[in-house]
Amino acid sequence: CCCDRYGDFFATTLIGRALMILCIALGIVAFGVKTTQLFEAYRTDNAGYGRFHNPEQSQFVVLVGEVSEEILKLMSNQLLHPDRFVGNMKLAVLVSTPEKLTELRSFIASIVDGTQGGSITSEMEKNIQLFVGNPLEEEDLSRLQVEKAAGVYILGPEAHVNVESRDLRQLFTAVAIRRYLKVKRADVGGRSVPIKVTVTQKRFYERYQHPLLTEATADVDVICYNKLIASLLASSCFAPGFLTFLMNLVILGA
């Protein structure tokens, strides 16, 4: 009994040798192309321009807009912490610049390794995927598979600077997402995706009521900062100490 070793069989004719050389050359080229594609895919994902990975078909929530470090920590604790959600929930975050992506990644890493205070564990970190893009672009919404999300949160900047432009941008983002979801509605069995929009003043939403935001199938909630603040102040007037009680609950919950 013997074993065939490399070189035991080889081409002896001119045509056979030519085919052998051709196969070797094609193999080298194919290997190089696939290696380049693999490296490019890794580079694209690492830069935030890849696609949302969800092979387990888990539920997930999409955050777009001005996602601050505190908001990301709060949403992670509320959605990903095993004490608050039973299952494998994921969080897809779309930011506008690569610099913001790097900043949020560094922030998450600092919490996981204990440099900063927080409760984001290494297991929770695996379920947070960060992306760079524009929520007004259909291609970027497709990368995040927004039509399959359990919900979409459109967050605005914390500082109330240039309120009109800020609120209009929020509404334009909501319209773009609703337009994309309407096109993809048939692909997900007709299910609707709830959208939460934060604005400073509700007057723009009431004045420029776009049909995509007001139709019966639209599940859009507008959260107004000024109205929320006025409501809290009114509650404090009717029930002195209400704000103190509320803030104590928030601090204890955090």
Side-chain angles (χ1 to χ4, degrees):
C1 180
C2 64
C3 297
D4 294 328
R5 296 175 299 276
Y6 180 79
D8 283 358
F9 296 96
F10 54 89
T12 56
T13 64
L14 183 61
I15 297 178
R17 290 174 178 173
L19 289 175
M20 181 185 66
I21 295 174
L22 179 62
C23 290
I24 292 174
L26 290 177
I28 294 173
V29 172
F31 179 79
V33 169
K34 292 299 179 182
T35 303
T36 303
Q37 291 176 349
L38 184 62
F39 175 78
E40 184 64 23
Y42 172 78
R43 189 192 65 80
T44 301
D45 284 347
N46 192 54
Y49 295 98
R51 299 185 64 85
F52 177 66
H53 299 290
N54 190 19
E56 308 91 352
Q57 298 298 315
S58 304
Q59 287 188 317
F60 66 97
V61 171
V62 176
L63 297 182
V64 301
E66 300 294 330
V67 184
S68 65
E69 296 176 351
E70 289 302 318
I71 288 292
L72 180 59
K73 182 168 68 172
L74 175 64
M75 295 295 289
S76 300
N77 289 333
Q78 292 297 322
L79 296 175
L80 306 180
H81 200 283
D83 293 343
R84 296 182 173 87
F85 183 81
V86 179
N88 191 23
M89 173 70 81
K90 292 188 176 184
L91 194 61
V93 183
L94 183 67
V95 296
S96 57
T97 63
E99 291 76 18
K100 187 64 177 180
L101 177 78
T102 304
E103 176 186 331
L104 292 180
R105 280 181 175 167
S106 300
F107 175 72
I108 295 173
S110 66
I111 294 180
V112 173
D113 63 23
T115 305
Q116 291 196 31
S119 56
I120 299 180
T121 64
S122 57
E123 289 299 320
M124 294 167 60
E125 181 186 17
K126 296 177 183 177
N127 291 329
I128 302 175
Q129 298 184 31
L130 303 177
F131 303 90
V132 178
N134 185 354
L136 299 178
E137 297 292 338
E138 182 177 335
E139 180 181 354
D140 291 329
L141 297 176
S142 177
R143 289 196 293 121
L144 269 65
Q145 303 178 28
V146 173
E147 68 277 9
K148 299 179 182 179
V152 180
Y153 289 83
I154 305 174
L155 306 175
E158 297 176 354
H160 294 179
V161 179
N162 203 355
V163 173
E164 291 80 4
S165 299
R166 172 194 182 279
D167 286 353
L168 284 176
R169 184 183 64 181
Q170 295 293 91
L171 296 180
F172 289 155
T173 302
V175 169
I177 294 176
R178 279 286 301 138
R179 183 180 292 112
Y180 172 80
L181 292 176
K182 195 168 186 179
V183 173
K184 296 290 185 176
R185 187 177 177 85
D187 298 340
V188 292
R191 64 180 290 269
S192 62
V193 177
I195 300 175
K196 313 295 182 183
V197 190
T198 60
V199 297
T200 304
Q201 300 177 354
K202 208 169 182 178
R203 61 190 180 95
F204 286 107
Y205 176 73
E206 295 171 346
R207 182 184 303 175
Y208 304 108
Q209 293 200 11
H210 196 283
L212 286 173
L213 302 181
T214 58
E215 61 185 4
T217 57
D219 189 0
V220 179
D221 290 332
V222 179
I223 303 170
C224 179
Y225 288 140
N226 287 355
K227 189 174 180 180
L228 179 61
I229 294 172
S231 177
L232 290 175
L233 290 175
S235 299
S236 181
C237 292
F238 284 108
F242 172 76
L243 284 180
T244 303
F245 172 72
L246 182 62
M247 289 306 300
N248 287 335
L249 288 179
V250 171
I251 294 172
L252 289 175

